[in-house]
């Protein structure tokens, strides 16, 4: 964590005050790279602990968002008074699944630093590795869900579009956003221990304000959804992911600019917030 | 005698170290408490001036004891040397691998097994998987955990935690070993075993820095001692000299509770 930090380095090093509250970022990234095995091993151990590495554990992790999709579909069926079509169902499943990735990363990640208090108080290492581990775990849990989505997609008559490749870019952007969210929430949890408890409310609100339970063009409030597209960070990312996957939609430059802007802002902002505060963690936890 | 110059080599140099940190004063650091304090115009955190310009050098083969009352800055100094808390002013020069046994040492996830915690702790500290695997059986043997090493750490006693932490910290062959109040748990035979390991490491020209409230531990294990008070270095000398000065300062006498343990 300090500019010369890694415990067990053989070379001589000098620990100095951080400049403007930040460690030497070059050394920081070297330390992060050197410990990639730590991230892989911690994620593996935590998935094994929660049985997420077994077939039934993975099925259960897919079943939960799938049931949510079923409940929301039923709710919308009752409210709208009829079927919304298979396209809408696929949109709902894709949206719920991708939101589950963001949600799992955010809620798990929020506790990642406080949970590792004993390690923080004993070992010097880049603290950003802890929320990154939860991102990896959330991503690994998400992958079987996409397999289930593919089964639904083709079973319900969906086709594979060239435009669907955009979903991969949207997924990368959503992982960037989720990483920033996890870094921000894990740091906030050090100062406010109820951050993790507040995350589900914030995430549910974000989901309702994103095109998950409705198609983007169905948003009527807030300037026909244009306000949401600009100020809801995940709106455009979810729109691109689901739209390209389900309907083979293509998107204008503005939608891409907003998606890339929010993904980058979240990643850079979350990283800066964590790294600028991590010098205090050993005194606060 | 050819190894004599090596023993004079500097391993840790602390120069004018000042360290301030912020800590919560609320019962629970959460939004509710923060809002209530904000409403009353009160602060939720205070800045602690833990170290106020501390300077000292440590050489190879030295077992340095740090003594002082609660709040003297001993643990903060250890955390600064371990690279856990960045200095506010001044600097710390470190020459060699540092291994620390501060707070509980290992066991950051009590739901994972002792083995998984050892591996994860080692990887976090920058060791390779091969280095951990090479030393793993020595760690288990020294900690006397045997089959318990595969059990979740939530099932461990305080002594088992302590033994495993000490075994990990001393087995990975550090040049500088930091031990903060970690020797007070564990039974008498393990204390004897850890004292022997500390002497062995010192003879191998390793540098050890030990914090303990048990002054007898400092006198028995250390070759040198410093005394901290309210963030200032108030004395340095032989362990006997420093312990005598400190106990006189406390006015508790040689047979006081400060001498107990170990």
């Amino acid at each position: 964590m300090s500019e010369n930090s890694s415990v067990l380095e053989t070379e001589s090093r000098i620990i100095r005050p951080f400049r403007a509250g930040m460690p030497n970022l070059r050394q920081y990234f070297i330390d992060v790279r050197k410990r990639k095995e730590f991230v892989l091993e911690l994620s593996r151990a935590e998935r094994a602990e929660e049985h997420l590495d077994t077939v039934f554990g993975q099925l259960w992790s897919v079943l939960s968002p799938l049931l949510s999709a079923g409940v929301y579909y039923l709710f919308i069926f009752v409210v709208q008074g009829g079927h919304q079509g298979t396209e809408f169902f696929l949109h709902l499943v894709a949206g719920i699944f991708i939101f589950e990735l963001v949600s799992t990363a955010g809620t798990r990640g929020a506790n990642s630093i406080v949970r590792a208090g004993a390690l923080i108080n004993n070992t010097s290492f880049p603290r950003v590795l802890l929320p990154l581990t939860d991102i990896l775990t959330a991503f690994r849990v998400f992958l079987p869900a996409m397999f289930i989505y593919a089964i639904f997609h083709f079973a319900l008559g969906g086709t594979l579009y060239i435009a669907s490749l955009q979903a991969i870019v949207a997924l990368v952007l959503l992982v960037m956003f989720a990483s920033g969210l996890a870094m921000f929430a894990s740091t906030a949890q050090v100062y406010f221990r109820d951050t993790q408890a507040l995350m589900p409310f914030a995430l549910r609100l974000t989901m309702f304000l994103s095109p998950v339970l409705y198609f983007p063009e169905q948003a009527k409030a807030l300037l026909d959804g244009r306000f949401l597209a600009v100020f809801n960070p995940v709106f455009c990312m979810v729109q691109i992911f689901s739209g390209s996957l389900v309907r083979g939609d293509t998107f204008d430059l503005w939608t891409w600019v907003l998606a890339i802007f929010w993904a980058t802002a979240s990643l850079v902002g979350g990283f800066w917030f964590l790294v600028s505060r991590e010098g205090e963690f050993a005194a606060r936890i | 005698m050819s190894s004599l110059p090596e023993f004079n080599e500097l391993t840790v140099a602390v120069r004018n170290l000042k360290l301030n940190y912020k800590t919560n004063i609320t019962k629970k650091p959460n939004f509710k408490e923060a809002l209530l304090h904000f409403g009353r115009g009160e602060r939720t955190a205070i800045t602690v001036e833990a170290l106020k310009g501390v300077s000292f050098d440590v050489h190879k083969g030295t077992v340095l004891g740090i003594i002082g009352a609660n709040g003297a800055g001993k643990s903060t100094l250890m955390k600064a040397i371990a690279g856990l808390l960045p200095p506010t002013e001044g600097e710390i020069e470190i020459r060699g691998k540092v291994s620390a046994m501060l707070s509980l040492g290992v066991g950051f996830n009590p739901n994972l097994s002792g083995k998984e915690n050892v591996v994860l702790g080692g990887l976090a500290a920058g060791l390779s998987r091969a280095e951990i695997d090479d030393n793993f059986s020595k760690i288990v043997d020294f900690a006397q955990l045997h089959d318990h090493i595969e059990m979740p750490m939530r099932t461990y006693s305080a002594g088992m935690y302590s033994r495993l932490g000490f075994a990990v910290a001393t087995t990975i062959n550090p040049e500088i070993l930091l031990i903060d109040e970690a020797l007070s748990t564990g039974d008498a035979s393990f204390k004897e075993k850890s004292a022997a390991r500390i002497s062995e490491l010192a003879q191998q020209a390793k540098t050890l820095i030990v914090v303990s409230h048990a002054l007898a531990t400092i006198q028995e294990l250390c070759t040198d001692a410093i005394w901290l008070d309210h963030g200032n270095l108030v004395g340095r000398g032989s362990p006997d000299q420093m312990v005598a000065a400190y106990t006189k300062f406390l006015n508790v006498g040689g047979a006081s509770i400060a001498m107990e343990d170990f």
Side-chain angles (χ1 to χ4, degrees), chain A residues 32-268:
Chain A
V32 167
R33 211 174 144 207
K34 206 160 43 175
R35 287 165 175 80
K36 61 180 182 230
E37 208 180 338
F38 168 73
V39 173
L40 297 172
E41 183 61 29
L42 180 57
S43 174
R44 187 209 59 75
E46 289 186 343
R47 275 183 294 121
E49 180 204 342
E50 294 168 41
H51 307 291
L52 292 171
D53 58 341
T54 64
V55 174
F56 285 110
Q58 287 182 347
L59 270 178
W60 185 254
S61 70
V62 173
L63 204 60
S64 172
L66 202 57
L67 286 172
S68 295
V71 169
Y72 284 125
Y73 190 80
L74 189 65
F75 173 73
I76 293 161
F77 174 82
V78 170
V79 170
Q80 300 283 340
H83 273 295
Q84 303 299 301
T86 53
E87 201 171 69
F88 178 76
F89 180 72
L90 289 174
H91 166 76
L92 190 62
V93 172
I96 296 270
F97 279 177
I98 197 66
F99 220 88
E100 187 73 8
L101 168 70
V102 177
S103 182
T104 308
T107 45
R108 284 184 72 99
N111 205 28
S112 59
I113 289 172
V114 171
R115 193 172 62 215
L119 191 64
I120 298 239
N121 276 303
N122 192 67
T123 308
S124 172
F125 67 98
R127 308 319 192 193
V128 75
L129 295 172
L130 294 167
L132 285 182
T133 301
D134 285 316
I135 295 296
L136 179 65
T137 304
F139 188 72
R140 290 265 178 88
V141 172
F142 165 77
L143 285 179
M146 283 322 288
F147 179 72
I148 300 294
Y149 171 80
I151 293 173
F152 274 112
H153 185 89
F154 293 113
L156 295 173
T159 47
L160 195 61
Y161 307 97
I162 294 286
S164 299
L165 291 172
Q166 296 171 105
I168 297 171
V169 184
L171 178 60
V172 171
L173 295 176
L174 277 156
V175 169
M176 285 168 64
F177 174 81
S179 303
L181 177 69
M183 291 177 206
F184 182 85
S186 60
T187 308
Q189 175 84 356
V190 174
Y191 298 91
F192 304 104
R193 298 297 164 89
D194 46 0
T195 303
Q196 193 186 25
L198 296 172
M199 284 298 285
F201 299 104
L203 287 163
R204 206 174 306 155
L205 178 67
T206 311
M207 189 180 83
F208 291 156
L209 297 178
S210 303
V212 173
L213 305 182
Y214 46 85
F215 283 119
E217 62 272 16
Q218 290 177 309
K220 297 296 176 207
L222 300 167
L223 302 172
D224 288 342
R226 289 196 299 276
F227 182 87
L228 289 176
V230 174
F231 293 104
N232 174 359
V234 293
F235 191 98
C236 292
M237 292 178 237
V238 172
Q239 181 183 359
I240 295 169
F241 181 81
S242 177
S244 63
L245 210 57
V246 177
R247 303 192 294 201
D249 289 345
T250 53
F251 303 92
D252 59 20
L253 183 65
W254 180 237
T255 305
W256 278 108
V257 167
L258 284 172
I260 292 168
F261 167 77
W262 278 116
T264 311
S266 172
L267 184 66
V268 174

Side-chain angles (χ1 to χ4, degrees), chain B residues 20-32:
Chain B
N20 304 340
Y21 63 79
K22 278 189 179 174
T23 189
N24 294 309
I25 50 171
T26 53
K27 205 164 47 181
K28 273 186 181 175
N30 56 29
F31 284 111
K32 184 187 163 196

